[in-house]
């Protein structure tokens, strides 16, 4: 029992031990498993975390990589910018060094100015001696130009123009001004305030000199060096536009020489040029502060008088000019006389612009020419006096023929060699009960314009032929008669018939009749008139060219017209003075006239000097106060 108990106990004890050990093992095993499971879980979690971390890391890496790329790109861009900057700086430096322009750069906040080396080179200043301030720089600018620099700058700063642009003068180290063209541009800060203006200076002195030269050429007449028409329009035009409202009186004098065309055609162009130069020089003596002379072209000159005292002062001035021309010119040993015709318009009464003043002064000048030249006229007087006088003449002229108010005077023409009267020029006079004795110079042109000259001319021709026929019959002579003919008459279809009829009616031989025509008549309608003149010549009638030298024809032209006689105008006879010049226009005319077979008559001979001269130069006939004035028929009988 004991044993069994022991045994059982032992067994039991063993069993217990076994159980215990198994249990321990189990527990151990389980613990192990638990630990293992824990670790597996842990590992799994860690793995998961790791995976997540990896994923995050990858993302981070990717992000990093892209940032890196961005950084690299930015870096590259930076490098590029740096290069551009370097290039720009280089270029800027190169521009500064290679350009001929000087560079300036003004800091608007401080007033400091930077001027490039070229600037100092251009003007010769030493940079060390110059203050770098705009106020210092301003000292060099020509004071008259400062205003326009500021004006140009203001315009640019107000955004009216994209650039500052200005031309002005600046003094160099030698004290001479050089011309600068300045161009620049302003820079603005974020608030739109200017903080800097930078630009260049270019030396344009040469260009300006060239421009001035061109301007001189454009504004001056090549022959006389006087201001020309363009200059007149520009300067007087500007002056007038600025003085439109002023209450001063200005005068425009249109001056035309009376025989230039003739001098030019007869003595040649180079002589004509010298003649014009002398005229210009004489006119120049009348200019001054308020009077400027211009050459309009040809032989036309303008004197513009500013601020004239009054009308009589202008009159006195015009008279002085006219008087000065009584002294002949001496050109290459030739004594040449000329006179001038002056037309005057007044500012602001006649016009307020150059065109109008010029037009009216020209019209007034033509009126002077019409009335025998060598004088002056105001434009406004033409309107007043002339229109009134003309109206009166026209009114009374109509009845004058019916009322027998015309008479003919005869002026003897004397042979220079024999001193005997050979012919008479018939000159009409009008003894009007209303107007008194009217000069033909006053009414012939009215008669021409109204057509009245046709019946009047016929009356003159008939009466003079009658008178000569009777005179010759009474005295047993064969004096010729010269009758002035107007263009209107010559243009009549029946003119030649009329002349023939009168000759037949009066019985005067055609060889004793001479018709006087002027150059302007021929110019009117050359073919028609030359044809008629030929017809008259064929009948044996002589043709004289009257007032030769005052019109437009040259000696060369004379060959083409069928004339027999040349009447040298009084103007050239006046040229012959006691001073005794060997050569003058007159002897050229006589010579050339003789060469083409013409008889030469000198008109308006008043002195013995003139007679002697004409005698020694083989003039054929003289007519003038020296022998006799035009006389009424009764007087003619007496003197003969
Ligand atoms: P013209 O035909 O050239 O006539 C010459 C003019 O000179 C005349 O003026 C005459 O009196 C003037 N005269 C002559 N000798 C001298 C002189 O020594 N000294 C000066 N100072 N003058 C002198 P007049 O008679 O006053 O005639 C002026 C013009 O009127 C004439 O110039 C002519 O163009 C025109 N005329 C005159 N009578 C007639 C006419 O019957 N018919 C036409 N169609 N025109 C005429
Ligand atoms: Mg005549
Ligand atoms: Mg004449």
């Amino acid at each position: 029992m004991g044993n069994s108990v022991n045994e059982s106990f032992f067994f039991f004890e063993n069993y217990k031990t076994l159980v215990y050990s198994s249990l321990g093992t189990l527990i151990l095993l389980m613990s192990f498993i638990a630990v293992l499971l824990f670790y597996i879980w842990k590992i799994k979690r860690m793995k998961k975390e790791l995976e997540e971390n990896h994923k995050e890391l990858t993302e981070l890496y990717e992000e990093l990589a892209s940032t890196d790329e961005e950084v690299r790109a930015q870096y590259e861009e930076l490098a590029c910018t740096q290069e551009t900057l370097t290039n720009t700086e280089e270029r800027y430096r190169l521009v500064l060094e290679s350009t001929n322009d000087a560079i300036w750069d003004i800091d608007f906040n401080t007033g400091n100015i930077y001027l490039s080396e070229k600037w100092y080179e251009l003007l010769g200043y030493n940079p060390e001696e110059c203050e770098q301030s705009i106020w210092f720089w301003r000292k060099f600018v020509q004071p008259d130009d400062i205003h326009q620099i500021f004006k140009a700058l203001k315009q640019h700063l107000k955004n009216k123009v994209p650039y500052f642009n200005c031309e002005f003068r600046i003094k160099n180290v030698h004290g001479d001004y050089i011309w600068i063209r300045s161009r620049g541009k302003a820079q603005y800060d974020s608030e739109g305030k200017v903080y800097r203006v930078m630009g260049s200076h270019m030396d344009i002195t040469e260009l300006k000199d060239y421009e001035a030269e061109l301007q001189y050429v454009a504004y001056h007449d090549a022959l006389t060096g006087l201001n020309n028409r363009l200059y007149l329009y520009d300067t007087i035009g500007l002056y007038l536009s600025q003085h439109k409202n002023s209450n001063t009186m200005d005068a425009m004098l249109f001056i035309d020489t009376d025989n230039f065309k003739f001098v030019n055609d007869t003595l040649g162009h180079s002589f004509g040029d010298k003649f014009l130069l002398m005229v210009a020089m004489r006119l120049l003596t009348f200019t001054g502060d308020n009077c400027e002379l211009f050459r309009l072209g040809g032989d036309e000159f303008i004197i513009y008088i500013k601020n004239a005292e009054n009308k009589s002062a202008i009159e006195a001035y015009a008279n002085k000019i006219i008087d000065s021309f009584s002294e002949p010119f001496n050109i290459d040993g030739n004594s040449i006389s000329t006179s001038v015709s002056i037309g005057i318009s007044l500012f602001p009464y006649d016009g307020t612009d150059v065109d109008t003043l010029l037009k009216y002064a020209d019209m007034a000048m033509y009126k002077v020419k019409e009335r025998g030249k060598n004088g002056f006229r105001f434009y406004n007087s033409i309107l007043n006096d002339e229109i009134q006088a003309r109206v009166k003449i026209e009114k009374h002229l109509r009845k004058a023929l019916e009322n027998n108010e015309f008479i003919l005077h005869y002026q003897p023409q004397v042979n220079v060699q024999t001193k005997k009267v050979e012919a008479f020029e018939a000159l009409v006079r009008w003894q009007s009960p209303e107007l008194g004795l009217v000069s033909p110079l006053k009414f012939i042109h009215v008669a021409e314009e109204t057509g009245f000259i046709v019946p009047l001319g016929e009356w003159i021709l008939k009466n003079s032929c009658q008178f000569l026929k009777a005179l010759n019959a009474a005295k047993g002579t064969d004096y010729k008669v010269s009758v002035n003919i107007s263009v209107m008459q010559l243009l009549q279809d029946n003119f030649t018939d009329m002349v023939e009829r009168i000759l037949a009616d009066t019985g005067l031989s055609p060889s004793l009749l001479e018709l006087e025509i002027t150059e302007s008549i021929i110019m009117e309608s050359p073919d028609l008139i030359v044809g008629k003149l030929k017809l008259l010549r064929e009948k044996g009638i002589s043709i004289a060219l009257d007032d030769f030298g005052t019109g437009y024809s040259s000696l060369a032209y004379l060959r083409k017209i069928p004339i027999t006689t040349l009447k040298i105008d009084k103007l050239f006879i006046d040229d012959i003075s006691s001073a005794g010049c060997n050569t003058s226009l007159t002897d050229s005319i006589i010579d050339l006239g003789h060469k083409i077979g013409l008889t030469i008559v000198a008109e308006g001979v008043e002195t013995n000097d003139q007679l002697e001269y004409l005698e020694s130069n083989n003039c054929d006939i003289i007519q003038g106060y020296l022998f006799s004035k035009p006389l009424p028929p009764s007087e003619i009988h007496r003197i003969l």
Side-chain angles (χ1 to χ4, degrees):
M1 209 8 233
N3 275 352
S4 87
V5 170
N6 275 348
E7 258 178 33
S8 324
F9 180 71
F10 186 70
F11 172 77
F12 182 70
E13 267 309 297
N14 276 353
Y15 181 74
K16 212 171 118 186
T17 308
L18 187 73
V19 167
Y20 277 135
S21 74
S22 303
L23 212 67
T25 309
L26 191 72
I27 287 169
L28 212 72
L29 197 71
M30 280 178 67
S31 304
F32 176 75
I33 288 168
V35 167
L36 199 72
L37 279 172
F38 174 74
Y39 273 103
I40 288 169
W41 173 78
K42 185 99 179 162
I43 283 166
K44 267 193 175 168
R45 223 186 85 159
M46 273 172 71
K47 203 177 160 191
K48 197 179 167 197
E49 263 175 22
L50 255 169
E51 261 170 15
E52 269 171 14
N53 276 351
H54 175 76
K55 200 178 157 197
E56 245 172 62
L57 251 167
T58 312
E59 275 172 9
L60 200 72
Y61 173 78
E62 274 169 9
E63 209 173 288
L64 252 169
S66 75
T67 311
D68 181 49
E69 204 139 284
E70 241 170 67
V71 168
R72 199 192 314 276
Q74 273 172 6
Y75 172 77
E76 272 166 15
E77 205 176 290
L78 208 73
C80 206
T81 312
Q82 176 76 34
E83 198 184 316
T84 314
L85 206 69
T86 315
N87 278 343
T88 310
E89 262 175 17
E90 185 104 321
R91 210 171 289 142
Y92 179 68
R93 195 176 51 76
L94 264 169
V95 167
L96 268 190
E97 281 171 13
S98 61
T99 180
N100 264 331
D101 296 359
I103 303 297
W104 51 266
D105 187 352
I106 302 168
D107 182 333
F108 255 56
N109 295 322
T110 61
N112 286 347
I113 186 166
Y114 159 79
L115 297 164
S116 72
E117 249 174 68
K118 278 271 160 35
W119 193 88
Y120 294 101
E121 261 173 45
L122 192 68
L123 293 146
Y125 296 112
N126 182 352
E128 269 90 68
E129 290 165 12
C130 294
E131 227 177 274
Q132 310 287 300
S133 119
I134 180 136
W135 305 113
F136 180 75
W137 172 79
R138 192 187 143 151
K139 282 202 313 199
F140 301 120
V141 178
Q142 150 71 247
D144 293 345
D145 299 349
I146 292 208
H147 170 72
Q148 71 198 56
I149 299 179
F150 282 102
K151 199 171 141 198
L153 188 62
K154 217 163 137 190
Q155 273 196 325
H156 172 52
L157 297 184
K158 281 189 172 169
N159 275 326
K160 284 189 182 152
V161 284
Y163 292 98
F164 160 74
N165 224 330
C166 188
E167 287 176 5
F168 54 89
R169 286 157 294 176
I170 198 162
K171 200 194 287 176
N172 68 15
V173 74
H174 310 295
D176 302 322
Y177 280 108
I178 66 168
W179 272 101
I180 294 291
R181 176 175 296 154
S182 188
R183 201 178 140 89
K185 197 163 172 61
Q187 285 180 321
Y188 302 85
D189 62 17
S190 52
E191 285 161 30
K193 234 178 86 191
V194 186
Y195 69 91
R196 183 183 193 187
V197 187
M198 192 181 173
S200 64
H201 275 176
M202 185 187 196
D203 181 359
I204 54 161
T205 314
E206 224 172 282
L207 194 79
K208 280 280 175 187
D209 288 349
Y210 184 61
E211 256 177 33
E213 222 171 275
L214 268 184
Q215 172 147 336
Y216 184 87
V217 172
Y219 273 158
H220 290 81
D221 164 49
L223 174 68
T224 59
L226 291 180
N227 299 325
N228 63 12
R229 177 188 281 267
L230 185 69
Y231 191 73
L232 171 81
Y233 270 88
D234 284 4
T235 57
I236 301 299
L238 183 72
Y239 170 82
L240 291 178
S241 66
Q242 290 166 344
H243 288 79
K244 274 214 159 80
N245 302 318
S246 81
N247 48 8
T248 56
M249 176 163 74
D250 291 357
M252 184 174 280
L253 277 68
F254 197 114
I255 305 165
D256 190 287
T257 51
D258 289 333
N259 57 342
F260 169 68
K261 178 85 171 74
F262 183 78
V263 170
N264 208 34
D265 289 348
T266 309
L267 297 175
H269 289 228
S270 82
F271 196 93
D273 282 354
K274 286 180 192 162
F275 175 81
L276 280 180
L277 211 61
M278 300 292 251
V279 172
M281 272 159 64
R282 194 158 293 179
L283 289 174
L284 258 182
T285 61
F286 292 92
T287 58
D289 286 347
N290 280 335
C291 314
E292 231 180 319
L293 175 67
F294 306 83
R295 182 174 171 219
L296 216 53
D299 62 337
E300 295 173 342
F301 298 87
I302 296 291
I303 288 184
Y304 193 85
I305 307 175
K306 289 175 186 166
N307 282 321
E309 234 171 274
N310 50 35
K311 218 173 149 183
S312 24
I314 300 167
E315 253 176 61
Y317 182 86
N319 267 324
K320 268 195 208 159
I321 296 179
I322 290 163
D323 289 348
S324 81
F325 278 86
S326 60
E327 174 88 12
F329 295 116
N330 194 311
I331 304 168
D332 300 342
N334 294 292
S335 171
I336 304 287
S337 276
T338 189
S339 54
V340 287
S341 299
I342 306 176
I344 308 169
S345 60
L346 300 177
F347 165 88
Y349 313 100
D350 300 331
T352 53
D353 60 272
V354 177
D355 266 328
T356 313
L357 290 171
L358 210 56
K359 187 174 86 189
Y360 291 155
D362 190 13
M363 276 169 73
M365 188 277 291
Y366 263 95
K367 289 290 164 192
V368 179
K369 294 256 182 199
E370 257 178 38
R371 299 299 138 84
K373 308 175 177 177
N374 193 24
F376 73 87
R377 276 203 90 139
F378 284 95
Y379 167 72
N380 55 5
S381 72
I382 300 173
L383 291 173
N384 303 332
D385 312 352
E386 206 145 295
I387 290 175
Q388 278 178 22
R390 198 204 141 103
V391 166
K392 272 192 206 158
I393 288 173
E394 224 181 297
K395 185 176 151 202
H396 299 294
L397 204 56
R398 294 179 200 282
K399 295 241 152 152
L401 202 58
E402 286 168 33
N403 295 350
N404 246 329
E405 289 169 14
F406 294 105
I407 41 168
L408 288 174
H409 281 194
Y410 297 90
Q411 187 174 31
Q413 296 184 335
V414 179
N415 184 303
V416 177
Q417 302 307 322
T418 64
K419 306 287 183 302
K420 285 195 174 143
V421 175
E422 286 200 345
F424 296 92
E425 177 175 5
L427 295 155
V428 69
R429 269 91 185 98
W430 177 19
Q431 185 65 62
S432 159
E434 294 87 2
L435 308 169
L437 185 69
V438 189
S439 154
L441 293 173
K442 285 217 171 91
F443 69 83
I444 289 289
H445 72 100
V446 182
E448 282 173 341
E449 282 161 32
T450 54
F452 178 67
I453 194 72
V454 177
L456 177 63
E458 189 171 337
W459 180 89
I460 293 167
L461 186 67
K462 194 172 127 204
N463 275 268
S464 40
C465 289
Q466 249 168 13
F467 173 70
L468 256 292
K469 176 75 191 173
L471 186 72
N472 282 335
K475 304 275 173 192
T477 49
D478 52 0
Y479 295 127
K480 282 178 82 169
V481 67
S482 253
V483 182
N484 293 285
I485 301 295
S486 289
V487 64
M488 261 291 242
Q489 294 174 267
L490 255 170
L491 290 174
Q492 300 298 305
D493 285 344
N494 61 352
F495 179 74
T496 49
D497 297 340
M498 185 269 289
V499 176
E500 274 186 84
R501 179 168 40 83
I502 286 177
L503 285 174
D505 290 352
T506 59
L508 189 77
S509 155
S511 62
L512 297 184
L513 177 64
E514 183 170 73
L515 300 180
E516 289 193 14
I517 54 161
T518 57
E519 298 159 74
S520 54
I521 290 186
I522 304 162
M523 297 299 172
E524 201 85 17
S525 187
D527 295 339
L528 180 70
I529 284 169
V530 167
K532 286 191 182 181
L533 294 180
K534 277 192 178 144
L535 236 135
L536 293 164
R537 287 277 296 107
E538 281 162 18
K539 305 270 180 257
I541 297 164
S542 309
I543 309 289
L545 190 63
D546 202 359
D547 306 337
F548 183 65
T550 58
Y552 303 98
S553 58
S554 60
L555 282 163
Y557 184 74
L558 295 183
R559 292 175 197 275
K560 297 181 188 154
I561 47 175
I563 54 167
T564 48
T565 310
L566 200 63
K567 295 188 78 176
I568 308 175
D569 193 76
K570 183 176 184 301
L571 193 71
F572 298 96
I573 308 307
D574 291 343
D575 194 10
I576 306 162
S577 67
S578 53
C581 301
N582 314 342
T583 39
S584 72
L585 265 176
T586 317
D587 61 319
S588 323
I589 300 171
I590 298 172
D591 263 11
L592 285 161
H594 278 159
K595 276 192 188 128
I596 51 174
L598 301 177
T599 302
I600 311 293
V601 180
E603 282 189 298
V605 180
E606 291 178 345
T607 68
N608 277 311
D609 291 324
Q610 293 167 344
L611 174 64
E612 268 168 39
Y613 174 87
L614 293 164
E615 217 172 344
S616 63
N617 280 286
N618 303 318
C619 179
D620 304 298
I621 289 175
I622 58 159
Q623 179 185 345
Y625 294 175
L626 181 66
F627 277 91
S628 172
K629 289 198 167 189
L631 300 168
S634 55
E635 286 283 304
I636 294 291
H637 280 284
R638 197 181 56 78
I639 64 151
L640 287 173

